[in-house]
Amino acid sequence: MNAGCLTIKELTDAVGGGLTPRMVRHYHQLGLLPQPVRSRSNYRLYTKKDVLRLQRIVALKQQGFQLNHIRQILEVEPEADTTVNLMGQLQQQYRAVMQQISQLRQTASALEGLLGRDRHCQIIQAEVLAQLKLLDVETQAGLGGLENLWSGLDAEIHTHSEAFTESLQGLLPDLSHRSEIEQHLISQLVLACGDVSLVSFIKLSRDAIAASRKALSSGCQIVVDTQTVAAALDQTRLLHLGCRIETLIDNPHITTATEAELAFWQHREWREKLQQVSQGCVLVVGYAPSVLLEASIAIANQKIQPALVIGMPIGFSHAPAAKRQLMQQGIPYITVEGTLGGGALAATALNALVESLIDKPDCHCYLKDVEPL
C-alpha cells in the first residue's frame, strides 16, 4: 500500500461529518470525487487532496446545497477561485435554481388546483378529469373546451365556503408518524402561508410539544419580539390559561422585520429586557433575527431559560444562522429552516399549541383591560 495514502474507511474517519464508504462511492459515480488510484490488492487509495475535497462537499451539503449544485461549485479551478469569480458563479447558479423553482411552482399550483379540492368540489372535479382525457387540446376547439372545463370547476367554489382541512388532505405528505398535535400544528402553518412545501422546513425538537403544554398549562409568560406578533395571538385562550403577553420591542410604530431588526440593535433597553425574561417562558420570535441570535447566546450562557422558543424570523443571512444556533442549544424549539418565517407563522405556531389545550371560550373577557376609544 502506498505510503501516505488512506483506505476508504480511513478517509471517512478523517473527514467525519457522518460520511460513509457507501456515500464516497456514490460521489465517485456522480463525478463529485475523481476516481482514486488502486493498490495492487485493488483497494481504493486516497490522498490529502481527496480529504480536503470531501470536507468541502460535506460542509456544503450541511449548509443545504444539493449534490448537483455542489459539483458545479467545485468545478471552479482553484487558481480561478477568487471571491469575484465564485460570487458570480453562485449568482448564476442561484438564478438557474430560482427559474427551476418557478417552473415547478407553476406545475405544483396546477396540481393543487385539482388535488386541493374539498368534497363539494370533488364530484365535478371527477367529471372534469374524465372529460380532460377525451379532449383534443391541439385544436382550437379543444383549447376552448379545456378552458370551459376549468371555468366549470372554478364555478363550483361559489356554492360553498372552502373546507380547508379537506382541501389539505390530498396535498400534505404522510404525517402519520407524527402526533395528532404536531399534525395540527403543521397543517395550521401550511394554511397560514398557503405553501405545502413548508412542511419539509418545519423543525421541532423531540420535547417541544410536551414542554409547550406543560408551560402553557401553568400560565407561563409569553414573550414576543414585536407588537405585530402579539396582536396575532389567540388572546382569549391565553387569558383563560393565565398566560401574560410581554413584548420586547414595545413600539407600535415598528411593524416590519427591517424596522424590528434595526430597532433592536439601536436600543439597549430592549436587549437588556430580553436578558430578564422569566424562567419557563415561551419566547416567540417572528421578525427580528437578532432577537433570536441574542436569545441563543443568553441561553448558551445560562442567563435565560425559556421553556420553549418558537424561532421564525425572516431574513436572508442572519435568520438562517439564528435558527441553526437555536437548534444547537439543547432546549425545546419550533422553527422553520432557512429564510422562511414571519410574524404570522410564529403566532400561528403558538396558537395551534394553545388550541390543543383549551376550547375557545365563548366570551370576550380578554377585552376587559382595554380602554374604550
Side-chain angles (χ1 to χ4, degrees):
M1 190 168 294
N2 295 1
C5 290
L6 304 175
T7 64
I8 193 168
K9 180 62 170 63
E10 292 170 336
L11 173 72
T12 56
D13 290 342
V15 174
L19 192 67
T20 65
R22 183 178 180 180
M23 293 167 66
V24 173
R25 289 190 287 269
H26 182 55
Y27 294 162
H28 284 311
Q29 294 174 349
L30 295 177
L32 275 169
L33 193 65
Q35 291 293 336
V37 296
R38 298 264 184 172
S39 68
R40 291 182 179 178
S41 302
N42 204 33
Y43 285 103
R44 292 182 175 88
L45 298 179
Y46 297 91
T47 65
K48 184 177 180 180
K49 184 177 180 180
D50 295 319
V51 173
L52 294 175
R53 186 176 180 89
L54 268 175
Q55 286 175 337
R56 291 182 68 189
I57 293 172
V58 171
L60 288 167
K61 189 178 178 184
Q62 288 176 342
Q63 292 303 311
F65 286 91
Q66 300 300 305
L67 293 179
N68 58 326
H69 301 142
I70 291 175
R71 182 175 62 248
Q72 295 176 34
I73 293 173
L74 296 181
E75 284 176 355
V76 177
E77 295 297 328
E79 57 269 18
D81 192 8
T82 64
T83 300
V84 174
N85 289 335
L86 183 57
M87 287 300 295
Q89 186 206 37
L90 292 177
Q91 287 174 343
Q92 183 178 5
Q93 187 174 344
Y94 176 74
R95 295 189 190 100
V97 169
M98 292 305 296
Q99 185 176 10
Q100 293 171 14
I101 291 175
S102 177
Q103 294 169 346
L104 290 172
R105 181 67 260 177
Q106 291 177 13
T107 301
S109 295
L111 290 169
E112 287 164 355
L114 292 172
L115 299 174
R117 299 277 174 172
D118 54 36
R119 282 180 295 182
H120 287 87
C121 291
Q122 285 174 1
I123 297 176
I124 191 169
Q125 173 188 332
E127 297 175 1
V128 168
L129 292 177
Q131 294 180 49
L132 186 60
K133 291 182 178 181
L134 303 176
L135 278 180
D136 181 6
V137 295
E138 293 183 358
T139 67
Q140 191 64 35
L143 290 174
L146 182 59
E147 185 175 343
N148 290 335
L149 286 178
W150 242 256
S151 296
L153 188 56
D154 287 342
E156 186 66 17
I157 67 174
H158 296 287
T159 65
H160 64 283
S161 58
E162 181 167 354
F164 289 107
T165 302
E166 290 179 12
S167 297
L168 273 179
Q169 288 177 353
L171 300 175
L172 287 174
D174 181 18
L175 300 176
S176 59
H177 61 290
R178 294 182 178 269
S179 69
E180 186 177 339
I181 296 175
E182 285 183 84
Q183 291 181 36
H184 175 67
L185 170 67
I186 292 170
S187 297
Q188 293 304 108
L189 288 173
V190 169
L191 285 173
C193 68
D195 187 353
V196 181
S197 68
L198 183 75
V199 174
S200 60
F201 297 96
I202 299 171
K203 303 298 177 184
L204 293 81
S205 63
R206 185 174 300 178
D207 51 351
I209 299 299
S212 68
R213 293 176 68 82
K214 181 179 179 180
L216 292 168
S217 297
S218 64
C220 68
Q221 182 187 42
I222 309 296
V223 181
V224 301
D225 57 344
T226 69
Q227 289 192 6
T228 305
V229 175
L233 296 180
D234 189 339
Q235 298 183 45
T236 305
R237 285 191 173 96
L238 288 172
L239 179 69
H240 279 263
L241 288 170
C243 298
R244 182 172 57 87
I245 302 172
E246 182 76 20
T247 304
L248 284 174
I249 306 174
D250 195 12
N251 183 337
H253 299 290
I254 295 174
T255 58
T256 67
T258 303
E259 293 170 342
E261 180 75 355
L262 184 61
F264 186 72
W265 275 107
Q266 289 180 339
H267 295 83
R268 179 181 297 177
E269 65 268 24
W270 290 332
R271 297 198 298 275
E272 293 175 348
K273 191 175 181 180
L274 177 61
Q275 304 286 336
Q276 298 167 4
V277 299
S278 61
Q279 182 175 346
C281 70
V282 173
L283 178 60
V284 184
V285 183
Y287 280 96
S290 292
V291 173
L292 187 57
L293 284 170
E294 193 81 6
S296 296
I297 294 172
I299 292 168
N301 293 332
Q302 298 183 338
K303 292 183 178 180
I304 62 173
Q305 292 181 303
L308 172 74
V309 177
I310 298 176
M312 300 184 182
I314 53 179
F316 300 99
S317 59
H318 289 49
K323 294 168 184 176
R324 286 192 291 269
Q325 288 196 23
L326 169 64
M327 291 187 282
Q328 295 169 2
Q329 298 310 314
I331 64 165
Y333 66 81
I334 301 174
T335 189
V336 177
E337 283 186 315
T339 62
L340 300 172
L345 285 180
T348 296
L350 181 63
N351 289 343
L353 296 172
V354 172
E355 186 179 348
S356 70
L357 284 170
I358 182 175
D359 291 333
K360 180 168 285 189
D362 187 18
C363 68
H364 293 86
C365 51
Y366 69 94
L367 295 175
K368 65 181 181 179
D369 295 328
V370 177
E371 296 181 1
L373 297 176

